[in-house]
Amino acid sequence: MLQLLRTEQISDKINKGESEQKSERWRENKMSKVVVFDHPLIQHKLSIMRDKNTGTKEFRELLSEIAMLMVFEVTRDLETEEIEVETPITTCKCKVLSGKKLGIVPILRAGLGMVDGVINLVPAARVGHIGLYRDPKTLEPVEYYCKLPEDSENRELLILDPMLATGGSASAAINFIKQRGCHHMRLVNLIAAPEGIKRIQQDHPDVDIYVAALDDHLNDHGYIVPGLGDAGDRLFGTK
């Protein structure tokens, strides 16, 4: 089951801390949609990831598994075409993928933990990478690495990052990718804060957002509450 949230519901979570969510699709004011996956398997695995006692190995495996489960639904609306296939018994009409091919772009470093799960589901997808750091003086995101597939402008790109906190890095990454001629993107996050979703919708109303959980708010240090801590550190065993 999926939950598609209205823009005002996200604003309510920012302004009032409300957690009630309604299931509805919308395209008001050409804003992007926000899809929250409440599938029992995803929620079960995410609960284990949130636990501070979950070790690096299990955390890494769960992130990959959730990414695969999420992308199964993210790709639900991919275009197909009908072809004729000859089985050992007879011929029949079958459907195969058509239209734009897929590309995967993890935001370094934590986004790397979602790649294998997606590749297991879509092995033909091309993989790019983008890395950002925050300038200590201007506090603005700066691109330090970006390499995309040669035909990325003709692909449907899935931007991967476990956490959508302030939305600054994700918004900047999408900007840098758009500057390279890519305009068909979807953002896939494990956990999001309302502030991050609001930022992406303001900056990139053409980019739909898919998350496994929409948490309450950001704390004074910019961490998602309740969240799961620093996804990169927990993924790679660093501090």
Side-chain angles (χ1 to χ4, degrees), residues 84-97:
E84 187 173 274
V85 173
E86 184 174 357
T87 78
I89 309 302
T90 185
T91 59
C92 64
K93 299 293 185 181
C94 299
K95 292 183 178 181
V96 295
L97 292 175

PDB file of all heavy atoms in Angstrom, residues 84-97:
ATOM      1  N   GLU A  84       5.120 -10.488 -29.398  1.00  0.00           N
ATOM      2  CA  GLU A  84       4.700 -11.887 -29.540  1.00  0.00           C
ATOM      3  C   GLU A  84       5.858 -12.797 -29.151  1.00  0.00           C
ATOM      4  O   GLU A  84       6.984 -12.632 -29.613  1.00  0.00           O
ATOM      5  CB  GLU A  84       4.260 -12.173 -30.973  1.00  0.00           C
ATOM      6  CG  GLU A  84       3.646 -13.555 -31.152  1.00  0.00           C
ATOM      7  CD  GLU A  84       3.066 -13.761 -32.538  1.00  0.00           C
ATOM      8  OE1 GLU A  84       1.894 -13.391 -32.766  1.00  0.00           O
ATOM      9  OE2 GLU A  84       3.813 -14.279 -33.396  1.00  0.00           O
ATOM     10  N   VAL A  85       5.574 -13.748 -28.276  1.00  0.00           N
ATOM     11  CA  VAL A  85       6.586 -14.676 -27.784  1.00  0.00           C
ATOM     12  C   VAL A  85       6.145 -16.103 -28.091  1.00  0.00           C
ATOM     13  O   VAL A  85       4.966 -16.449 -27.919  1.00  0.00           O
ATOM     14  CB  VAL A  85       6.804 -14.506 -26.266  1.00  0.00           C
ATOM     15  CG1 VAL A  85       7.726 -15.599 -25.728  1.00  0.00           C
ATOM     16  CG2 VAL A  85       7.367 -13.133 -25.956  1.00  0.00           C
ATOM     17  N   GLU A  86       7.097 -16.924 -28.521  1.00  0.00           N
ATOM     18  CA  GLU A  86       6.792 -18.323 -28.772  1.00  0.00           C
ATOM     19  C   GLU A  86       7.226 -19.154 -27.568  1.00  0.00           C
ATOM     20  O   GLU A  86       8.419 -19.242 -27.242  1.00  0.00           O
ATOM     21  CB  GLU A  86       7.502 -18.817 -30.032  1.00  0.00           C
ATOM     22  CG  GLU A  86       7.151 -20.245 -30.401  1.00  0.00           C
ATOM     23  CD  GLU A  86       7.741 -20.682 -31.720  1.00  0.00           C
ATOM     24  OE1 GLU A  86       8.384 -19.846 -32.385  1.00  0.00           O
ATOM     25  OE2 GLU A  86       7.569 -21.869 -32.079  1.00  0.00           O
ATOM     26  N   THR A  87       6.283 -19.730 -26.880  1.00  0.00           N
ATOM     27  CA  THR A  87       6.581 -20.614 -25.759  1.00  0.00           C
ATOM     28  C   THR A  87       6.766 -22.034 -26.276  1.00  0.00           C
ATOM     29  O   THR A  87       6.532 -22.309 -27.460  1.00  0.00           O
ATOM     30  CB  THR A  87       5.430 -20.582 -24.732  1.00  0.00           C
ATOM     31  OG1 THR A  87       4.344 -21.385 -25.220  1.00  0.00           O
ATOM     32  CG2 THR A  87       4.938 -19.170 -24.475  1.00  0.00           C
ATOM     33  N   PRO A  88       7.157 -22.982 -25.429  1.00  0.00           N
ATOM     34  CA  PRO A  88       7.237 -24.380 -25.885  1.00  0.00           C
ATOM     35  C   PRO A  88       5.888 -24.943 -26.330  1.00  0.00           C
ATOM     36  O   PRO A  88       5.857 -25.993 -26.997  1.00  0.00           O
ATOM     37  CB  PRO A  88       7.753 -25.120 -24.642  1.00  0.00           C
ATOM     38  CG  PRO A  88       8.505 -24.083 -23.879  1.00  0.00           C
ATOM     39  CD  PRO A  88       7.746 -22.810 -24.085  1.00  0.00           C
ATOM     40  N   ILE A  89       4.810 -24.258 -25.982  1.00  0.00           N
ATOM     41  CA  ILE A  89       3.475 -24.762 -26.308  1.00  0.00           C
ATOM     42  C   ILE A  89       2.871 -24.047 -27.515  1.00  0.00           C
ATOM     43  O   ILE A  89       2.354 -24.673 -28.441  1.00  0.00           O
ATOM     44  CB  ILE A  89       2.528 -24.617 -25.093  1.00  0.00           C
ATOM     45  CG1 ILE A  89       3.161 -25.223 -23.841  1.00  0.00           C
ATOM     46  CG2 ILE A  89       1.176 -25.245 -25.376  1.00  0.00           C
ATOM     47  CD1 ILE A  89       3.516 -26.683 -23.973  1.00  0.00           C
ATOM     48  N   THR A  90       2.936 -22.690 -27.514  1.00  0.00           N
ATOM     49  CA  THR A  90       2.303 -21.903 -28.575  1.00  0.00           C
ATOM     50  C   THR A  90       2.871 -20.495 -28.540  1.00  0.00           C
ATOM     51  O   THR A  90       3.823 -20.209 -27.804  1.00  0.00           O
ATOM     52  CB  THR A  90       0.768 -21.867 -28.369  1.00  0.00           C
ATOM     53  OG1 THR A  90       0.162 -21.201 -29.475  1.00  0.00           O
ATOM     54  CG2 THR A  90       0.410 -21.153 -27.078  1.00  0.00           C
ATOM     55  N   THR A  91       2.302 -19.621 -29.331  1.00  0.00           N
ATOM     56  CA  THR A  91       2.696 -18.213 -29.282  1.00  0.00           C
ATOM     57  C   THR A  91       1.677 -17.441 -28.445  1.00  0.00           C
ATOM     58  O   THR A  91       0.504 -17.817 -28.346  1.00  0.00           O
ATOM     59  CB  THR A  91       2.754 -17.602 -30.692  1.00  0.00           C
ATOM     60  OG1 THR A  91       1.479 -17.725 -31.312  1.00  0.00           O
ATOM     61  CG2 THR A  91       3.816 -18.304 -31.524  1.00  0.00           C
ATOM     62  N   CYS A  92       2.151 -16.336 -27.842  1.00  0.00           N
ATOM     63  CA  CYS A  92       1.261 -15.517 -27.029  1.00  0.00           C
ATOM     64  C   CYS A  92       1.743 -14.078 -27.024  1.00  0.00           C
ATOM     65  O   CYS A  92       2.890 -13.785 -27.388  1.00  0.00           O
ATOM     66  CB  CYS A  92       1.171 -16.048 -25.599  1.00  0.00           C
ATOM     67  SG  CYS A  92       2.738 -15.981 -24.703  1.00  0.00           S
ATOM     68  N   LYS A  93       0.859 -13.180 -26.614  1.00  0.00           N
ATOM     69  CA  LYS A  93       1.196 -11.771 -26.486  1.00  0.00           C
ATOM     70  C   LYS A  93       1.742 -11.528 -25.083  1.00  0.00           C
ATOM     71  O   LYS A  93       1.128 -11.909 -24.090  1.00  0.00           O
ATOM     72  CB  LYS A  93      -0.040 -10.904 -26.714  1.00  0.00           C
ATOM     73  CG  LYS A  93      -0.667 -11.064 -28.097  1.00  0.00           C
ATOM     74  CD  LYS A  93       0.250 -10.525 -29.199  1.00  0.00           C
ATOM     75  CE  LYS A  93      -0.447 -10.576 -30.550  1.00  0.00           C
ATOM     76  NZ  LYS A  93       0.433 -10.072 -31.646  1.00  0.00           N
ATOM     77  N   CYS A  94       2.888 -10.860 -25.016  1.00  0.00           N
ATOM     78  CA  CYS A  94       3.521 -10.552 -23.723  1.00  0.00           C
ATOM     79  C   CYS A  94       3.950  -9.085 -23.706  1.00  0.00           C
ATOM     80  O   CYS A  94       4.052  -8.451 -24.753  1.00  0.00           O
ATOM     81  CB  CYS A  94       4.741 -11.439 -23.491  1.00  0.00           C
ATOM     82  SG  CYS A  94       4.370 -13.192 -23.432  1.00  0.00           S
ATOM     83  N   LYS A  95       4.208  -8.585 -22.514  1.00  0.00           N
ATOM     84  CA  LYS A  95       4.633  -7.200 -22.366  1.00  0.00           C
ATOM     85  C   LYS A  95       6.099  -7.126 -21.955  1.00  0.00           C
ATOM     86  O   LYS A  95       6.563  -7.902 -21.123  1.00  0.00           O
ATOM     87  CB  LYS A  95       3.761  -6.479 -21.334  1.00  0.00           C
ATOM     88  CG  LYS A  95       2.329  -6.270 -21.786  1.00  0.00           C
ATOM     89  CD  LYS A  95       1.545  -5.477 -20.754  1.00  0.00           C
ATOM     90  CE  LYS A  95       0.122  -5.222 -21.251  1.00  0.00           C
ATOM     91  NZ  LYS A  95      -0.659  -4.439 -20.266  1.00  0.00           N
ATOM     92  N   VAL A  96       6.811  -6.169 -22.547  1.00  0.00           N
ATOM     93  CA  VAL A  96       8.200  -5.900 -22.189  1.00  0.00           C
ATOM     94  C   VAL A  96       8.354  -4.394 -22.003  1.00  0.00           C
ATOM     95  O   VAL A  96       7.527  -3.613 -22.464  1.00  0.00           O
ATOM     96  CB  VAL A  96       9.182  -6.393 -23.280  1.00  0.00           C
ATOM     97  CG1 VAL A  96       9.121  -7.903 -23.401  1.00  0.00           C
ATOM     98  CG2 VAL A  96       8.880  -5.728 -24.617  1.00  0.00           C
ATOM     99  N   LEU A  97       9.419  -4.014 -21.319  1.00  0.00           N
ATOM    100  CA  LEU A  97       9.667  -2.592 -21.090  1.00  0.00           C
ATOM    101  C   LEU A  97       9.927  -1.864 -22.399  1.00  0.00           C
ATOM    102  O   LEU A  97      10.579  -2.390 -23.308  1.00  0.00           O
ATOM    103  CB  LEU A  97      10.854  -2.403 -20.146  1.00  0.00           C
ATOM    104  CG  LEU A  97      10.661  -2.838 -18.699  1.00  0.00           C
ATOM    105  CD1 LEU A  97      11.967  -2.688 -17.928  1.00  0.00           C
ATOM    106  CD2 LEU A  97       9.559  -2.035 -18.037  1.00  0.00           C
TER     107      LEU A  97
END
